[in-house]
Amino acid sequence: MKPAAFAAAGAALLLFFILSAGEQPVVLSYSDFWLLAESGQVESVTLSDGEYWHSILTDGTAIRTPNPRAVDGKERLLALDIAVKERESALPGWALGLIAVGAFILFSQAKGKGALGLKKYAAVQADERAPDITFQDVAASGETLQSLRDLAAFLKEPKRFADYGARAPKGVLLYGPPGTAKTLLAKALAGEAKAPFFAMSGADFVQVYVGVGASRVRELFRKARKSGGGVIFIDEIDAIGKKRDSGNDEREQTLNALLTEMSGFSESDGIIVLAATNRLDTLDPALLREGRFDRRIEVGLPDCGQRLQILKVHARKKPLHENISLESWAGQTALFSGAQLEALLNEAAIRAARRGSGPILESDLESAFCGVTVGEESPRLMTDAEKRVTAWHEAGHALITHCMLPDARLTRVTIIPSSRGAAGYSMSVQPDRLLLSRKDLLAMICAALGGRAAEEMLLGRENVTTGAANDLKKAREIAAAMAKDYAMGETGDPDKDENAILADAMERASVCLKEHRETLEKLAKALLIKETLRENDLKEILTP
Ligand code: ADP
Ligand code: ZN
């Protein structure tokens, strides 16, 4: 893992520890999955290179299917009109593990319209009129906006630039994770320049029949020329422009058609091609050459300041209660993409609208936040014993996070079960980091093991529960990375080192809890009474 991987994720690490009663979504066999898919009961699928595909059924149930790692899966899903999302990560596996609960649930929340980056283009989407979106509607860095303003100036008056012999920009590649405004920026560019907008997804170009994709490319450019120029947007360009592998004739032809068209239009045509991708490294170098996509704009996950900007953009037309602090929400939403921030405000607005009177309240945002992260709070009954063990378990995570990860902000701990099967969770946000030390990693393992350690303290070894399964998996992943990838063990034998690190962390976690037993009990009791502890409640108990 390169340290840059952290930067590439652009992200703070968001730690979730979930005591999950129902555990992971149920596993459905591959053949049963297709039966459901074919009968229209699958809403969306998240493909990944992990062990499972994760899907959401039309009734909202989450399921997992063993990953066949077959190449035609996506094609078949798209043909059935099922929204497909791909999860590829610049983060190392175990770091992904840390955010997986959040990420998975966030991505699969999408219902219908492309709120979270799930998009479908049936055919060329052409807007003869310019979109009514402008740069006002996008929160982007000054640098990004300046590049786009330059492009807009060119689109407005291509001739002026041609008269001066200025070489026209042709292709601009926007790259970054899903939901980071790549589409929105392309649209805003067209809107700003009052130029028509033509959009298509790379996946739609690459068809079963050889030649179809190439003719679609030509059609796209023909349309743009006919209407006197505009913005052509190609989403998921990697579907066409993957580094050439042996013998995919259709993709090869489509790519060649695109390259030909791009060198074919002239300075005065007033066409700019924007393309979007999650990953630059897999693109065919031919696409990146001079005169093609030779300008690149990186869009990363927003940092805290940008999150605030994005929230402000989307709060503009929403009646928010004056008590709501968007600054504080920007602080609590590390790792959210712009699309997820938009979804958060939208969900809150829906809750307020259901109530039918008064503005959007802080409690609407809180409930929406749970909805987008760990699932709706669900009134499933827990026995008193279950509540008690959950309270101790979550208090254990919280206390150790507080003691051993002093930079992390504990934002919320709850024992309210969620619709996705979690009995409770604790959430903490760590500041952006480029490098992690051995001490940091060990502390992360301790925090993950804190739930189990607290259970053991309360109930004795005999009675610890299955609720810690996720935590243990995460802890093991980090320990394995420490032992193997970072040579942070004692003996150099990865298996031995991994186990030693885990045993050491478990011991440290137990010692820490015993040392602060009073605070642990206070936390657990407060959880049993209040069920959810927010940042301020937690501060009060932890730093008296
Ligand atoms: P991408 O193309 O990168 O997957 P989109 O442009 O489709 O992402 O973003 C989806 C939606 O998320 C947008 O329509 C917008 O509502 C919201 N959004 C994402 N990023 C931003 C941003 N920087 N500013 C304002 N809204 C944003
Ligand atoms: Zn846990």
Side-chain angles (χ1 to χ4, degrees):
M1 197 269 308
K2 293 163 293 188
F6 285 104
L13 286 178
L14 183 65
L15 308 172
F16 272 108
F17 301 113
I18 298 227
L19 169 62
S20 118
E23 289 302 314
Q24 298 257 15
V26 291
V27 178
L28 204 69
S29 79
Y30 189 61
S31 57
D32 284 345
F33 168 82
W34 283 109
L35 282 179
L36 285 188
E38 243 124 26
S39 61
Q41 293 180 65
V42 178
E43 172 104 17
S44 68
V45 178
T46 304
L47 304 177
S48 76
D49 37 31
E51 198 178 340
Y52 294 101
W53 285 0
H54 289 263
S55 314
I56 301 293
L57 304 183
T58 42
D59 68 2
T61 319
I63 58 158
R64 299 182 289 166
T65 318
N67 186 352
R69 300 182 208 275
V71 280
D72 67 338
K74 181 167 180 186
E75 164 100 63
R76 204 169 152 196
L77 289 166
L78 289 170
L80 290 166
D81 258 4
I82 294 169
V84 178
K85 186 75 217 55
E86 286 187 57
R87 192 163 78 213
E88 280 158 347
S89 171
L91 281 172
W94 58 262
L96 224 188
L98 288 171
I99 62 166
V101 185
F104 163 59
I105 294 167
L106 291 168
F107 291 150
S108 54
Q109 269 287 318
K111 283 250 181 291
K113 61 165 195 143
L116 298 184
L118 298 168
K119 280 167 284 207
K120 297 186 215 166
Y121 302 94
V124 180
Q125 278 188 352
D127 244 330
E128 295 299 325
R129 289 168 308 119
D132 50 13
I133 289 173
T134 67
F135 294 151
Q136 293 277 316
D137 303 300
V138 197
S141 72
E143 218 179 319
T144 304
L145 280 180
Q146 194 48 50
S147 313
L148 287 166
R149 280 211 188 88
D150 292 348
L151 295 176
F154 165 78
L155 271 176
K156 276 187 203 149
E157 290 179 89
K159 209 173 154 299
R160 189 171 96 200
F161 289 80
D163 287 349
Y164 281 90
R167 194 167 57 77
K170 279 196 170 173
V172 180
L173 199 60
L174 299 161
Y175 66 99
T180 48
K182 296 185 288 298
T183 312
L184 193 64
L185 283 167
K187 254 193 202 155
L189 168 62
E192 198 72 30
K194 306 212 175 2
F197 181 70
F198 307 88
M200 199 151 174
S201 169
D204 295 323
F205 282 117
V206 180
Q207 299 296 318
V208 194
Y209 301 108
V210 175
V212 173
S215 63
R216 285 195 178 171
V217 168
R218 287 190 286 269
E219 185 204 337
L220 187 60
F221 281 81
R222 197 179 315 121
K223 275 197 181 157
R225 263 194 299 264
K226 227 181 87 197
S227 60
V231 174
I232 294 182
F233 178 65
I234 303 174
D235 203 1
E236 299 177 41
I237 182 111
D238 34 313
I240 325 175
K242 257 190 225 141
K243 285 196 180 109
R244 299 180 203 211
D245 45 16
S246 53
N248 185 331
D249 282 351
E250 165 62 357
R251 200 170 66 218
E252 191 100 335
Q253 283 201 16
T254 310
L255 178 57
N256 286 335
L258 179 62
L259 296 176
T260 311
E261 289 293 336
M262 286 194 69
S263 23
F265 65 79
S266 72
E267 320 284 86
S268 54
D269 278 341
I271 295 175
I272 290 180
V273 187
L274 263 63
T277 180
N278 304 347
R279 29 195 329 190
L280 214 46
D281 55 318
T282 59
L283 287 186
D284 193 313
L287 270 174
L288 305 176
R289 257 181 232 135
E290 211 38 51
R292 288 157 184 173
F293 292 98
D294 52 4
R295 293 197 181 192
R296 266 149 254 167
I297 299 179
E298 180 178 6
V299 286
L301 288 177
D303 63 22
C304 191
Q306 289 165 334
R307 290 197 296 273
L308 177 59
Q309 265 188 298
I310 296 174
L311 286 170
K312 280 186 176 159
V313 164
H314 291 285
R316 243 183 247 153
K317 286 186 194 137
K318 297 188 176 70
L320 293 186
H321 190 277
E322 57 191 29
N323 277 352
I324 291 177
S325 152
L326 290 181
E327 280 81 5
S328 147
W329 280 101
Q332 285 180 55
T333 43
L335 282 188
F336 272 49
S337 69
Q340 289 161 344
L341 292 168
E342 192 274 336
L344 172 69
L345 284 175
N346 186 51
E347 284 289 316
I350 288 173
R351 281 161 168 80
R354 264 192 221 130
R355 215 176 30 245
S357 71
I360 299 171
L361 302 174
E362 178 77 6
S363 56
D364 294 321
L365 272 165
E366 292 199 344
S367 144
F369 182 79
C370 292
V372 257
T373 51
V374 284
E376 303 284 334
E377 293 188 344
S378 115
R380 179 162 51 92
L381 279 182
M382 289 207 290
T383 64
D384 283 347
E386 277 171 337
K387 269 197 185 157
R388 200 154 152 258
V389 69
T390 309
W392 276 72
H393 179 107
E394 298 307 337
H397 284 311
L399 184 60
I400 294 195
T401 305
H402 170 74
C403 294
M404 299 197 187
L405 293 162
D407 291 342
R409 272 177 52 204
L410 265 173
T411 50
R412 166 187 289 263
V413 181
T414 181
I415 59 164
I416 298 177
S418 84
S419 59
R420 290 175 201 275
Y425 61 88
S426 1
M427 199 180 283
S428 60
V429 183
Q430 277 205 57
D432 298 4
R433 290 278 191 82
L434 266 174
L435 293 169
L436 293 166
S437 67
R438 183 179 196 276
K439 189 168 156 237
D440 296 330
L441 292 169
L442 201 61
M444 282 158 74
I445 301 181
C446 290
L449 294 175
R452 165 57 68 87
E455 284 184 49
E456 215 172 281
M457 209 161 132
L458 171 72
L459 305 164
R461 236 197 130 81
E462 296 292 295
N463 297 307
V464 295
T465 69
T466 52
N470 261 328
D471 301 336
L472 296 174
K473 194 163 156 241
K474 270 174 220 166
R476 187 164 283 285
E477 278 165 358
I478 302 174
M482 287 174 73
K484 279 201 204 77
D485 304 338
Y486 311 130
M488 289 177 177
E490 300 289 332
T491 68
D493 171 336
D495 290 338
K496 265 194 198 146
D497 285 344
E498 181 185 320
N499 287 327
I501 289 170
L502 281 174
D504 178 31
M506 190 67 192
E507 176 63 26
R508 283 169 194 248
S510 302
V511 169
C512 174
L513 292 183
K514 278 192 195 111
E515 221 172 273
H516 300 95
R517 185 171 175 124
E518 252 176 59
T519 317
L520 181 70
E521 274 177 22
K522 251 194 235 163
L523 269 176
K525 277 193 191 124
L527 274 171
L528 282 170
I529 295 166
K530 286 189 155 177
E531 299 194 326
T532 298
L533 299 178
R534 301 191 175 75
E535 194 166 3
N536 284 339
D537 308 325
L538 289 160
K539 267 196 197 136
E540 223 164 84
I541 299 173
L542 290 165
T543 44

